Each structure stands twice: as structure tokens, then as C-alpha cells.
Amino acid sequence: MEELALDIKIEKTSKSNLDQVDFDNIPFGKIFSDHMFLADYKDGKWQDLRIVPYGEFSMNPALSAIHYGQSIFEGLKAFRNRQNQEEVLIFRPQDNAARLNASAKRMCMPELPENIFMEGLHKLIELDKGWVPNTEGSSLYIRPFMFAADAFLGLKPSDTYTFAIITSPVGIYYSNPVKVKIEKEYSRTCHGGTGYAKVAGNYAASMYPAKLAQAEGYDQLLWTDAAEHKYIEESGTMNVMFQINDTIVTAPTMPEEDTILRSITRLSVLELLSDWGVKVEERKIPVQEIVDATKDGSLKEAFGTGTAVTIAPISHIGNDGELLEIAEVEGEKLSTKIKQHLQGMQMGEVEDNKGWIYRI
Ligand SMILES: Cc1ncc(COP(=O)(O)O)c(C=O)c1O
């Protein structure tokens, strides 16, 4: 990257919590590193860039974000380089910066210049480098987010915003293949809605149907189109891919479809598959096609792609009360090959010939 040039004030914590963390046993999303990055949007510009000890925000009860929901976020991961323990590797952070701005635009929020995102991230991770785990399957989850900060009751875009980055050491998300239910009653979004943006409300809308599915023994939902519930879109925190015979099929994202979050992991997988000469079709996926392919054995694999999970194999699909099991393929699975390659790149064990890795 270019030279770090922004004026970011750093206030260091007087007491690190690092020695209290058991890195062999990390719960997901509950432990936070010592510092956070903050920036305020006021008077039409981003200002007061700072790194401060991790701690609580004070909040006006009329905070616009909690009443009207202008709240967006991102998720990415930092890994310790297995070949050089001093170095931290982050996967495609500029793509998260760009997606944050796509979300901001849809939510009538100000864009954040990429250099604020990148320099804030760089300096924060540099300072909290000790928090990047090196145990198997673990990483430092990075959560950039932006919310409306006006204290005002009234439906209009806020004039002020806060951008923050917090980080959290995490372990493995799913240790077993996942069981997903094809959702045909509820929707998380619809055409013309906010599905392609990473906005807090999308996740709020997904919780009730996801809870119902979990009560039935599923891990996640497979969302279908809101209009007809005939086409598979994506899952809770991942896009999905199906291998039918020797072809990978996945639903299109922006600009073709506005209901699916444009997963950066998915884009990476598609690029690798293209390099490897695997046939890929980005197209609408009828539920019936997947049901038929599961039954006649032409569905070789189904898996999710996302930062939290990297690649999550799907073992069962529930449809209209019927539980379909995806038969195990013999030999090396494509999903395993992809996962090993991506994770290898993320941890410095496979050469990054794509320029996807940002080094600190
Ligand atoms: C709804 C949704 N879809 C897909 C993904 C996967 O996206 P990415 O690969 O960029 O993490 C996520 C996670 O960010 C998500 O929340």
C-alpha cells in the first residue's frame, strides 16, 4: 500500500487483557482485543481518527441508528503467517472497504475513503498484533462498522456517523458439515430491498425464521427468492455453491441480482475454479433442480462460502419437511481442495499469486 499518511491519534491501554485469553479454547465473538479504531463524520467530513482502548460507547437514547436502523458492517480475518510468525496476513481487505461503501450508499450514509479504512485497520492490527492467534483454525476476526450518530427523532438520514473497527480472536465456526433448510415462507430481503448490502436489519429479519429452523435441528437456512420461493439464493452468513456432475452452480450476485450479499470468499473461489479449469455456471438455481440432483445422485457436493466459515460443506438439505442427505463423494472433494488452497493462502503456506493478501 501507499505510505501511511493519515493523522491517527493513538491512546494505548494501560492494562492489556491479552494474558487472560486461552487461545486453545476461544469462544466465537465474545473476546475483544485491547484497542479499537474510531472516526467521526461531522460537518460533511470524516475527522478525529483515533485508536483508543476497547471500551463502551456512551449513547444518547435518541440515537438515530437504534430507531431508524442506519447501521452497516463488514467482517474479515487476520491470520498469523505460518512461515513467519512476526507477520500478520489479511485477506482482501480493500474489497471489504469497497463493499462497506456499497452498503453505505444504499443506506444513505457517507462513504468512507479507502485510506481511512486501510490505515485505521493497519495501525490497529499493528498495535494489537499479539491478539492474532496461531492455533489451528483460529484467526483474528475484524469487524468494521458504521452507524448513524445523530440524537434526533424523525425519519431522515443522520447528519453524523461513527465508523469503528473492533477485533476479536476466534476459533472454528462449524466443526461439522452443516444441515440447511430451504426456507419457503419467510424472506430476509426481496428485489429492490437491501439484500446485497451488509446492513444490520437484514440480519435482524433473518433471526426468527432461523430460530424456527434451529428448533427443527437445522444449522442454517437456505433463503429462496421472496416472490416465488422457487430459486435458491444464499444462506445465513454464506453464499452457496452446488456441484452438479462436474459443474459448479451458484446464484448470481450484483449487478445481476440485488438480493444476495456479494461474498468475497465466493468471488475468490470462482477465480480459483476458473484457474483450475472447473466449469462454473452463475445462474438462477431452481429448488427443484437441487432436490432432483440430490435424489438422482448428480449432486456431488454443496457448500457455503464466507469469511466466518471459509468453506462449509453441507451434508443435509431440508425441503418441504423432507430431509435430503447429500451422498459422500469418493476421492478428493472439490470443497476440500478449495478450502485448503484458500486457507493456505490466508496463512502464508500457499503462494499468493493473486495479490489477495495484505501484510502487516
Ligand atoms: C448474508 C451473507 N452472505 C454471505 C456472506 C459471505 O461473505 P464474505 O465471503 O465476504 O464473508 C456473509 C458474510 O459476510 C453474509 O453475512
Side-chain angles (χ1 to χ4, degrees):
M1 75 179 269
E2 307 136 39
E3 218 175 294
L4 301 180
L6 292 173
D7 176 21
I8 300 179
K9 298 208 167 43
I10 298 181
E11 180 198 338
K12 287 192 189 168
T13 182
S14 55
K15 192 188 169 316
S16 171
N17 289 318
L18 188 53
D19 56 2
Q20 290 167 29
V21 183
D22 173 7
F23 278 100
D24 291 321
N25 194 5
I26 325 175
F28 201 97
K30 287 191 178 163
I31 297 167
F32 303 98
S33 70
D34 286 330
H35 298 91
M36 59 185 177
F37 172 75
L38 297 174
D40 297 324
Y41 184 84
K42 282 196 283 240
D43 305 323
K45 60 175 191 291
W46 287 101
Q47 46 193 287
D48 199 9
L49 314 185
R50 60 206 187 273
I51 288 173
V52 295
Y54 183 89
E56 296 184 0
F57 290 147
S58 70
M59 192 184 81
N60 190 295
L63 187 84
S64 181
I66 54 174
H67 295 273
Y68 305 109
Q70 278 182 300
S71 175
I72 60 177
F73 63 98
E74 273 303 321
L76 61 163
K77 279 178 171 174
F79 302 83
R80 201 163 278 281
N81 187 344
R82 296 300 195 269
Q83 313 289 330
N84 168 11
Q85 292 284 320
E86 291 308 302
E87 193 173 59
V88 169
L89 309 177
I90 307 182
F91 192 66
R92 304 187 72 167
Q94 292 92 342
D95 293 86
N96 293 92
R99 193 171 63 187
L100 181 86
N101 282 338
S103 303
K105 188 168 178 199
R106 176 65 180 84
M107 299 299 279
C108 221
M109 298 166 83
E111 292 196 3
L112 181 85
E114 186 189 279
N115 64 337
I116 297 183
F117 186 103
M118 289 305 299
E119 290 191 32
L121 179 66
H122 187 108
K123 291 217 166 108
L124 179 67
I125 300 298
E126 201 166 45
L127 187 61
D128 281 345
K129 221 173 197 178
W131 285 82
V132 183
N134 60 1
T135 47
E136 189 57 34
S138 60
S139 58
L140 187 70
Y141 183 77
I142 302 167
R143 166 56 57 86
F145 59 106
M146 189 200 296
F147 59 90
D150 279 6
F152 175 72
L153 294 183
L155 183 57
K156 74 164 189 64
S158 182
D159 290 324
T160 60
Y161 295 85
T162 298
F163 172 73
I165 306 177
I166 57 175
T167 71
S168 170
V170 295
I172 293 170
Y173 198 81
Y174 291 126
S175 20
N176 293 313
V178 293
K179 227 168 143 176
V180 294
K181 175 189 166 185
I182 299 181
E183 178 58 59
K184 292 187 170 166
E185 186 174 354
Y186 297 97
S187 301
R188 68 185 274 280
T189 187
C190 60
H191 176 58
T194 55
Y196 71 90
K198 203 160 166 70
V199 313
N202 290 348
Y203 298 87
S206 74
M207 285 181 195
Y208 180 64
K211 190 175 154 187
L212 295 179
Q214 276 152 13
E216 289 178 63
Y218 292 98
D219 298 300
Q220 278 286 351
L221 292 174
L222 266 189
W223 296 106
T224 53
D225 67 293
E228 297 184 281
H229 297 297
K230 276 193 180 156
Y231 298 95
I232 291 172
E233 296 200 324
E234 64 169 324
S235 191
T237 56
M238 49 198 203
N239 287 172
V240 284
M241 296 192 178
F242 300 92
Q243 183 187 343
I244 300 179
N245 294 318
D246 59 357
T247 304
I248 291 285
V249 183
T250 186
T253 59
M254 284 292 262
E256 290 83 31
E257 289 285 351
D258 64 0
T259 51
I260 299 174
L261 188 79
R262 200 155 185 258
S263 155
I264 294 162
T265 317
R266 169 188 178 277
L267 293 175
S268 312
V269 171
L270 291 182
E271 218 175 301
L272 291 178
L273 292 176
S274 148
D275 290 355
W276 298 343
V278 177
K279 246 197 306 185
V280 174
E281 291 174 9
E282 283 183 74
R283 59 163 169 87
K284 278 181 175 290
I285 308 170
V287 170
Q288 197 56 47
E289 180 183 353
I290 297 305
V291 170
D292 293 345
T294 311
K295 289 184 176 169
D296 71 18
S298 55
L299 182 72
K300 304 300 179 199
E301 272 205 87
F303 55 91
T305 68
T307 294
V309 296
T310 318
I311 302 296
I314 295 170
S315 60
H316 294 81
I317 301 179
N319 179 54
D320 293 337
E322 186 182 8
L323 187 63
L324 306 165
E325 185 175 354
I326 302 173
E328 283 274 323
V329 283
E330 282 183 19
E332 191 194 30
K333 286 191 190 175
L334 190 54
S335 66
T336 309
K337 183 177 171 191
I338 298 167
K339 186 170 184 164
Q340 283 171 350
H341 193 92
L342 271 184
Q343 288 187 336
M345 272 173 112
Q346 291 172 334
M347 295 186 300
E349 285 164 337
V350 170
E351 192 204 339
D352 170 26
N353 55 358
K354 296 281 182 191
W356 285 344
I357 302 296
Y358 180 87
R359 296 166 192 277
I360 297 177

